Amino acid sequence: MLSEQELKRQIWHSRRGMLELDQLLEPFARQQLPLLDAVQQQVYVRLLQHQDPDLFAWFMGHDEASDPQLRSMVALIKQYVQST
């Protein structure tokens, strides 16, 4: 599990500077990241290591990640955003 400090760091990294990504990632990170299990938290950390154009394409459905764990995380985030 991520430490409290690391959770705060990942929330900060969720602020991408692209409005569309900020509206998806930051609320998810604040509300859901602490509730995820350790494996899912690490997948989220890996997701944030990708470039904004890739993330944008994945979330908008123009492309998909080659990694099935990242695809699953993108789907989880989209589901969370749609449910709020």
Side-chain angles (χ1 to χ4, degrees), residues 31-82:
Q31 299 298 318
Q32 298 298 306
L33 187 56
L35 306 176
L36 299 179
D37 65 38
V39 171
Q40 289 177 312
Q41 287 179 345
Q42 289 306 314
V43 172
Y44 186 81
V45 170
R46 285 194 303 117
L47 180 76
L48 294 183
Q49 294 172 352
H50 289 271
Q51 299 295 315
D52 287 357
D54 292 333
L55 294 175
F56 183 79
W58 297 344
F59 282 108
M60 298 302 121
H62 302 299
D63 198 3
E64 64 179 27
S66 58
D67 181 326
Q69 287 183 317
L70 294 179
R71 283 196 308 267
S72 178
M73 182 57 61
V74 167
L76 183 65
I77 294 167
K78 288 170 72 173
Q79 179 183 15
Y80 169 76
V81 170
Q82 290 173 352

Side-chain angles (χ1 to χ4, degrees), residues 5-18 21-22 25-26 29-30 33 44-45 47-50 52 55:
Q5 182 178 7
E6 186 60 27
L7 280 170
K8 289 178 182 179
R9 182 176 297 125
Q10 295 311 317
I11 291 168
W12 176 257
H13 286 298
S14 296
R15 299 173 65 190
R16 306 299 290 202
M18 181 183 283
L21 292 177
D22 289 350
L25 297 174
E26 190 174 359
R30 287 188 184 284
L33 187 56
Y44 186 81
V45 170
L47 180 76
L48 294 183
Q49 294 172 352
H50 289 271
D52 287 357
L55 294 175

